Amino acid sequence: MADERGQTDLWETPARADATPAERALIVDVDGFEGPLDLLLALARTQKVDLARISILALAEQYLVFIEELRRLRLELAADYLVMAAWLAYLKSRLLLPEPEKGEEPSGEEMAAALAFRLRRLEAMRDAAARLVNRDRLGREVFSRGAPEPVELVRRSAYAATLYDLLTAYAAQRQRQMVSVVHVRRRQVWSLAEAREILTRMIGRMAEWTPMEVFLSPYLARDEIRTTVLASAFSASLELVREGKLELRQEEAFAPLELRDRIRPVPAAGEGGDG
Amino acid sequence: MAEEEDDDGVAAPLAPEEQGLALRMVEAMLFAAAEPLAAAEIAARLPSGADVAALLAELRAVYRTRGVNLVRVAGKWMFRTAPDLAFLLRRDAADQKRLSRAALETLAIVAYHQPATRAEIEEVRGVSTSKGTLDVLLETGWVRMRGRRRAPGRPVTYGTTEAFLVHFGLDSIGDLPGLDELKGAGLLDGRIPPGFTLPEPRAPDQLADDEDPLDPEDLLAAGLRDE
Amino acid sequence: MAEEEDDDGVAAPLAPEEQGLALRMVEAMLFAAAEPLAAAEIAARLPSGADVAALLAELRAVYRTRGVNLVRVAGKWMFRTAPDLAFLLRRDAADQKRLSRAALETLAIVAYHQPATRAEIEEVRGVSTSKGTLDVLLETGWVRMRGRRRAPGRPVTYGTTEAFLVHFGLDSIGDLPGLDELKGAGLLDGRIPPGFTLPEPRAPDQLADDEDPLDPEDLLAAGLRDE
């Protein structure tokens, strides 16, 4: 019901024009019109003939009278209406006066035909709009399912990877890992300081010649450090010999190195004899 | 169509009980959907070998006399209530914004003349189009900006949307009421007879750079003194 | 019930053609309703004399075998997709995703070293593995939790699935290339230190000697079992 009222509202203006064909009714003002073409169409309808057979001359006359009336009433008019009035006055003169020689200008008849075309086209569009809105429109006359059952979208991730990707990734990381293994296995070195510390601990306990390997034995057991232990211990022993703390001998080439205290402990009775 | 598929060996036609299931599936899909469904969308969910066109035709026939009808809009399919039951369902709620006469006219011009530029719309209506009118139409979702006319100024062109077809129950733009007669009468050519110079509509406050506002008295005098 | 109303003389029963219209009205109302409708609500919009209960019963019977059924929920009426067609209301959407490098590496380690615990994976990779990485792999369906290592902390062991073999086109996990093949393919360069080995991949379905079956909670946590 509200809709029906709305419908009339929308089409009120032409309805009013039709319902009150008297030109006088139109003369109130132009507020109800959407521009001069709309006004012309409303005036044309008062001629009560098919737009195709309308008298453009009579229509121009009507329009000019209408505008004159408004002017007399000192009503303000939009420029569009005045431009149209000027043009129609010109058209009227062209239609009334004998046609000049064929020139560049369109003839009065052609101008009138063009105006008639535009009026017909505007009216056709109005009719089309009316037919459109009077269709069974979704949500007004016809309805879709009120409670549609939504389709649940089950999002699933599909992962893409090829065997090549997989193998490349595996090989690459194992390769990286090899590099780190080498770092961990850096060669172990027994420093001179370490060797000297061990030997120094022995000083005072080696009254007799003792093969160096005997007291290094706990360290020599590990193959990977055997060489470095021997080398460092030999160097350290030379140092200690130079410092006068040890004596060092070797019976022949590659024979075991033997160590003994340089300062031999005197018997307990002779303690402090050397000072 | 089913036979054609058969011959192609694409898929064997459905057995009768499968046929029944397929019909129920189409029915359920269309009933559940909030939007019209394309035949292809429906077909995608049917067992292979199902003849969607035939199923849709059968369903349409089944529902033709019912309170709910199967209709084709915008090239797609949807169930909607039968038009003669509008009295029963018409919603009083003012949730549907009413379009002004100007907006409706503009909508019709866009629909019948598309693609149409604003200048072309104004030419038909003989009046300048307020910014709001096109905005309202764009907001309804029935009109969209289509592109730009390859012409000086590259004006935007407007056309209608799928929502327009669905709302007005049209299968395609070609089904616009009276389209053929309008075409036949040459009213959609957009071509005014050559040499025609009717004053163009122009927004009152918008004058070109080389224009001054008209003096109403001048015009009146000039226009009416000829008489 | 219809008779009852008859006897009461509340309203004359509907003529047959009115009956048909009333049925269509009920159908349209239920179709267009956003909420289930009570019989009373429907009756209020029907011509007087209509037997709503009978109409609803008839409509229910009409739709009983269709793709859409008329059902009664909480004392009200609504159309609903037939239960056996509920699958039509689910649609799978697959997002194509690429595995991150971390995920690929982890996957490769699981494949070669399975059954592998997270700590073992980290030992091989030399970096810690985020929880997310293993979750992604479980989501791919290529990696599964196999059991728990019989060791302090009872860590979960991971292994590959049949889907893994299918996806990567492997007949068995033993088909994964070994050291020489990787070298031959140029994936490992020549500077391989002595003592470097690749495990021989194998994925026995049975648990290894040092593996226990998973605890029930493990399955729940991984979403592998419905509550």
Side-chain angles (χ1 to χ4, degrees):
Chain A
M1 287 87 280
D3 287 342
E4 270 155 23
R5 185 155 21 83
Q7 215 75 344
T8 20
D9 281 347
L10 295 169
W11 299 97
E12 199 168 23
T13 310
R16 188 181 62 193
D18 284 339
T20 56
E23 286 166 43
R24 293 282 141 192
L26 293 175
I27 295 188
V28 178
D29 62 70
V30 292
D31 282 354
F33 296 99
E34 295 214 24
L37 208 57
D38 186 26
L39 173 55
L40 273 170
L41 193 56
L43 291 170
R45 290 200 178 165
T46 65
Q47 290 195 12
K48 290 192 165 174
V49 289
D50 189 331
L51 268 184
R53 283 179 289 133
I54 197 169
S55 162
I56 292 295
L57 186 60
L59 186 60
E61 191 76 46
Q62 271 179 296
Y63 186 92
L64 292 170
V65 167
F66 177 64
I67 295 292
E68 171 69 2
E69 186 78 1
L70 290 180
R71 200 186 63 97
R72 205 177 46 75
L73 294 170
R74 305 204 173 278
L75 290 174
E76 286 206 17
L77 277 174
D80 280 353
Y81 291 91
L82 302 175
V83 172
M84 179 62 86
W87 188 83
L88 286 173
Y90 172 68
L91 173 62
K92 198 178 120 186
S93 68
R94 291 287 307 271
L95 288 171
L96 289 174
L97 295 174
E99 277 301 320
E101 289 303 302
K102 196 77 180 142
E104 291 296 298
E105 287 260 302
S107 70
E109 306 296 338
E110 283 169 339
M111 291 167 67
L115 177 57
F117 171 83
R118 284 193 63 167
L119 289 172
R120 266 171 45 225
R121 187 173 61 178
L122 180 59
E123 185 170 62
M125 282 301 112
R126 296 243 164 108
D127 291 346
R131 278 201 264 184
L132 261 188
V133 293
N134 289 327
R135 287 182 67 82
D136 292 324
R137 293 161 64 184
L138 191 65
R140 297 176 65 101
E141 287 82 28
V142 291
F143 295 85
S144 57
R145 176 88 184 268
E149 295 171 72
V151 172
E152 180 197 355
L153 207 59
V154 182
R155 291 215 157 272
R156 191 163 291 149
S157 298
Y159 287 92
T162 64
L163 186 60
Y164 177 77
D165 293 336
L166 187 72
L167 298 177
T168 308
Y170 185 63
Q173 73 186 330
R174 294 304 307 268
Q175 193 98 54
R176 281 203 307 278
Q177 183 201 33
M178 286 176 208
V179 174
S180 65
V181 165
V182 170
H183 276 291
V184 170
R185 286 194 171 188
R186 202 188 317 155
R187 208 157 63 90
Q188 287 189 35
V189 174
W190 238 52
S191 68
L192 210 53
E194 281 174 294
R196 187 186 161 100
E197 194 199 327
I198 300 277
L199 291 181
T200 307
R201 266 191 262 139
M202 300 296 165
I203 293 172
R205 300 183 196 172
M206 294 184 291
E208 300 305 324
W209 288 107
T210 317
M212 191 155 67
E213 288 174 26
V214 170
F215 47 80
L216 289 179
S217 59
Y219 310 101
L220 295 176
R222 284 166 62 198
D223 267 355
E224 63 271 25
I225 59 168
R226 182 185 165 86
T227 313
T228 178
V229 166
L230 279 176
S232 295
F234 177 58
S235 300
S237 67
L238 288 179
E239 243 181 83
L240 291 167
V241 168
R242 189 167 50 85
E243 289 169 16
K245 291 175 179 161
L246 283 179
E247 284 178 314
L248 184 65
R249 76 172 189 191
Q250 187 178 29
E251 305 231 308
E252 54 180 334
F254 303 113
L257 288 164
E258 289 177 330
L259 297 171
R260 113 179 141 173
D261 288 343
R262 169 75 178 277
I263 303 155
R264 244 145 309 134
V266 287
E271 191 179 355
D274 280 345
Chain B
M1 237 175 136
E3 281 166 60
E4 218 172 270
E5 273 187 13
D6 216 3
D7 292 346
D8 290 346
V10 172
L14 299 180
E17 69 279 9
E18 285 176 324
Q19 192 73 20
L21 176 64
L23 194 72
R24 291 178 66 236
M25 287 171 74
V26 176
E27 188 178 31
M29 275 188 256
L30 285 166
F31 240 83
E35 306 287 329
L37 294 180
E41 290 175 81
I42 297 169
R45 315 216 68 202
L46 291 179
S48 66
D51 182 346
V52 191
L55 289 168
L56 285 166
E58 184 179 345
L59 211 53
R60 172 141 76 168
V62 166
Y63 277 92
R64 198 184 301 281
T65 58
R66 310 289 295 266
V68 172
N69 303 150
L70 181 59
V71 295
R72 197 178 143 126
V73 284
K76 301 179 173 186
W77 296 85
M78 74 181 296
F79 275 120
R80 56 176 212 193
T81 56
D84 68 311
L85 299 177
F87 71 93
L88 180 69
L89 301 163
R90 188 163 289 163
R91 281 171 199 166
D92 307 326
D95 53 350
Q96 291 257 351
K97 264 192 246 163
R98 225 162 283 124
L99 287 181
S100 68
R101 194 181 85 169
L104 273 175
E105 245 173 64
T106 304
L107 175 63
I109 294 165
V110 168
Y112 284 79
H113 286 81
Q114 61 188 303
T117 64
R118 185 161 163 168
E120 287 158 1
I121 296 165
E122 294 181 344
E123 206 241 10
V124 174
R125 295 192 64 223
V127 72
S128 61
T129 304
S130 76
K131 177 92 177 63
T133 305
L134 273 167
D135 280 358
V136 163
L137 289 176
L138 288 168
E139 199 190 321
T140 60
W142 297 337
V143 165
R144 66 188 174 95
M145 294 196 273
R146 288 169 52 103
R148 287 179 180 278
R149 175 69 41 80
R150 208 170 297 133
R154 304 187 65 244
V156 168
T157 55
Y158 295 88
T160 53
T161 61
E162 186 177 305
F164 168 84
L165 295 176
V166 172
H167 181 84
F168 290 98
L170 297 164
D171 194 16
S172 75
I173 279 300
D175 293 339
L176 280 170
L179 187 66
D180 292 340
E181 298 119 78
L182 290 172
K183 267 190 189 153
L187 288 169
L188 299 182
D189 294 346
R191 276 252 55 85
I192 290 198
F196 182 67
T197 54
L198 194 67
E200 287 303 315
R202 178 182 288 289
D205 354 297
Q206 280 181 321
L207 292 167
D209 291 342
D210 58 350
E211 265 183 319
D212 278 332
L214 288 166
D215 184 350
E217 280 87 355
D218 291 351
L219 266 171
L220 268 179
L224 296 171
R225 263 172 213 155
D226 274 4
E227 199 174 338
Chain C
M1 245 175 133
E3 283 165 60
E4 218 173 271
E5 269 187 17
D6 256 352
D7 293 345
D8 289 347
V10 171
L14 299 180
E17 69 279 5
E18 286 175 322
Q19 191 72 20
L21 176 63
L23 195 70
R24 293 177 66 238
M25 287 169 72
V26 175
E27 189 178 31
M29 269 190 265
L30 284 165
F31 174 84
E35 306 281 332
L37 293 180
E41 290 174 85
I42 298 169
R45 312 184 75 174
L46 291 178
S48 64
D51 181 346
V52 191
L55 289 168
L56 284 167
E58 184 178 347
L59 210 54
R60 172 140 78 167
V62 166
Y63 277 94
R64 195 182 303 282
T65 58
R66 311 299 297 265
V68 171
N69 303 150
L70 183 58
V71 297
R72 201 179 140 128
V73 272
K76 299 186 174 189
W77 296 85
M78 69 184 293
F79 277 120
R80 201 166 59 189
T81 302
D84 66 318
L85 298 179
F87 70 91
L88 288 170
L89 300 178
R90 289 167 57 92
R91 202 152 300 182
D92 289 346
D95 295 338
Q96 279 290 329
K97 283 190 198 162
R98 291 198 67 81
L99 282 182
S100 67
R101 200 184 76 167
L104 262 178
E105 284 182 9
T106 305
L107 175 62
I109 292 166
V110 170
Y112 273 91
H113 299 254
Q114 62 189 300
T117 65
R118 184 160 157 176
E120 289 159 358
I121 295 165
E122 291 179 350
E123 198 187 306
V124 177
R125 281 195 75 210
V127 288
S128 64
T129 301
S130 77
K131 171 104 171 59
T133 304
L134 274 167
D135 283 350
V136 164
L137 289 177
L138 289 169
E139 195 192 327
T140 61
W142 297 335
V143 164
R144 66 188 174 97
M145 297 196 284
R146 286 173 51 97
R148 284 180 176 276
R149 176 70 43 79
R150 212 170 296 137
R154 300 187 66 245
V156 169
T157 53
Y158 296 90
T160 53
T161 62
E162 196 176 309
F164 170 85
L165 296 177
V166 170
H167 182 89
F168 291 98
L170 298 166
D171 200 21
S172 75
I173 202 72
D175 289 351
L176 278 173
L179 185 60
D180 291 340
E181 288 156 301
L182 289 179
K183 251 165 80 177
L187 293 173
L188 279 174
D189 67 27
R191 296 176 288 107
I192 293 176
F196 179 85
T197 56
L198 287 193
E200 205 167 288
R202 65 209 152 74
D205 282 340
Q206 286 109 351
L207 294 173
D209 290 340
D210 60 351
E211 271 182 306
D212 279 336
L214 284 171
D215 300 337
E217 304 89 81
D218 296 336
L219 296 170
L220 269 182
L224 296 175
R225 232 165 55 173
D226 295 335
E227 289 84 319

